[in-house]
Amino acid sequence: MAYSNIVAETKGAVGIIRLDRPKALNALCAELFKELAEALDIFEADEDIGAIVITGSDRAFAAGADILEMQPQTYMDVYKSDFLSGGPERISTCRKPVIAAVAGYALGGGCELAMMCDFILAADNAQFGQPEIKLGTIPGLGGTQRLTRFVGKSKAMEMCLTGRMMGAEEAERAGLVSRIVPLDGLMDEAVKVAGEIAKLSKPIVMMAKESVNKAYETTLREGIMFERRIFHSTFSTEDQKEGMSAFAEKRTPEFKNR
Ligand code: CAA
């Protein structure tokens, strides 16, 4: 499918979406959000795709929502259109695993987009930040909420109140990113990890994702009960039988996704 602001392609069972608006450091304009949501819909519906990687360029994952597009908008405009609700949040409703491969700037909406993904692999040149305060506004795509859950109140508050950027090492120390990868190996590593996930049982992978995500939505007691019941339910699948039989028989499992 041809897009103007992203490039979507597949590598085996991995769907790759590259944000591709270089003249504006991949600033997230309405059209880009629309194309991103469309590409995710297509990968989500494609039974052959087991995991998705979202990336940008070496210089910028995305430098935020498009400031020039927002600049003329009034309160009534953004309120009535419910600006940033729906399509821009599409990653967070994806049932398949989504990995953010972040190089360069991930600022404002770019940082928020990366945080909607299931985990972030960061290139050594990655820079994360919520600089909206410098524009006289605040994060609007979940930044104050997700960043606080990932890195804790003190660091999230400092970043949202000052707009300062955090480099890859600080982001890894703070728990925002899962790992740092050298810039020139970032995409290879992201596609490799996504490919490994895609080889596993797709429904069980979805269940694991749902269960980890529950930790952000509920109490510990409720979350553990949710996990326990999902764990029990995996025993009703052919893939759990196959996985454990293969271990006992010292062979590689062949998951059938059922
Ligand atoms: N929106 C629109 N255009 C943007 C942009 C953005 N968020 N970020 C960068 N650009 C454009 C610049 O205007 C510039 O365009 P021109 O060449 O036509 O002038 C081009 O991208 C390159 O940018 P710079 O020349 O500024 O590059 P730099 O290397 O000097 O600086 C930067 C890079 C520090 C990222 C700087 O561009 C910057 O501060 N960008 C804005 C970052 C920001 O404030 N993001 C938050 C946006 S608000 C938001 O995201 C709300 C929300 O929660 C959803």
Side-chain angles (χ1 to χ4, degrees):
M1 181 131 184
Y3 298 106
S4 311
N5 301 282
I6 65 167
V7 176
E9 57 176 335
T10 58
K11 269 198 186 151
V14 179
I16 302 169
I17 299 173
R18 185 157 55 80
L19 309 180
D20 186 33
R21 213 184 153 217
K23 64 176 170 27
L25 298 181
N26 295 335
L28 306 163
C29 60
E31 192 62 24
L32 187 153
F33 277 131
K34 191 161 161 273
E35 292 180 2
L36 176 60
E38 275 173 25
L40 285 168
D41 285 345
I42 291 170
F43 286 150
E44 188 98 285
D46 184 341
E47 294 215 341
D48 294 333
I49 296 296
I52 299 162
V53 175
I54 300 184
T55 193
S57 67
D58 286 358
R59 192 169 165 219
F61 178 74
D66 191 317
I67 299 167
L68 303 181
E69 227 180 52
M70 289 186 288
Q71 191 210 349
Q73 298 211 49
T74 65
Y75 169 68
M76 269 305 132
D77 294 333
V78 294
Y79 181 74
K80 286 206 252 179
S81 68
D82 204 7
F83 179 54
L84 296 182
S85 296
E89 297 170 310
R90 177 66 183 88
I91 298 172
S92 62
T93 60
C94 225
R95 296 184 73 203
K96 292 182 179 175
V98 185
I99 301 170
V102 174
Y105 297 113
L107 303 178
C111 186
E112 293 167 303
L113 218 60
M115 289 192 290
M116 279 182 222
C117 297
D118 295 313
F119 59 92
I120 302 174
L121 290 180
D124 43 24
N125 74 338
Q127 300 246 56
F128 299 87
Q130 297 290 163
E132 291 87 344
I133 198 83
K134 295 181 179 171
L135 301 169
T137 185
I138 70 166
L141 257 181
T144 61
Q145 304 304 298
R146 290 197 177 92
L147 189 63
T148 307
R149 282 165 166 79
F150 292 147
V151 307
K153 176 182 165 187
S154 191
K155 198 177 280 284
M157 193 67 95
E158 187 204 346
M159 292 189 65
C160 290
L161 294 188
T162 66
R164 90 163 166 90
M165 292 186 217
M166 148 159 87
E169 283 191 14
E170 184 180 356
E172 187 188 31
R173 270 200 313 275
L176 177 60
V177 311
S178 67
R179 275 192 290 135
I180 303 174
V181 178
L183 173 60
D184 60 3
L186 177 68
M187 269 316 276
D188 285 349
E189 184 61 19
V191 172
K192 184 171 149 240
V193 176
E196 282 165 11
I197 296 170
K199 280 192 218 141
L200 303 170
S201 164
K202 293 184 177 68
I204 304 293
V205 163
M206 277 188 204
M207 289 179 202
K209 169 169 168 163
E210 267 181 69
S211 200
V212 174
N213 279 336
K214 204 71 178 172
Y216 286 100
E217 310 283 352
T218 192
T219 61
L220 181 60
R221 183 185 289 267
E222 289 290 324
I224 285 174
M225 183 54 77
F226 180 86
E227 179 202 82
R228 188 74 30 81
R229 293 299 178 231
I230 297 279
F231 169 71
H232 291 159
S233 76
T234 64
F235 284 64
S236 70
T237 66
E238 288 181 29
D239 287 342
Q240 177 267 349
K241 301 287 166 255
E242 168 62 9
M244 293 198 182
S245 301
F247 178 84
E249 293 159 18
K250 301 193 186 304
R251 60 176 176 81
T252 307
E254 280 183 42
F255 294 119
K256 301 262 170 44
N257 302 316
R258 50 185 192 236

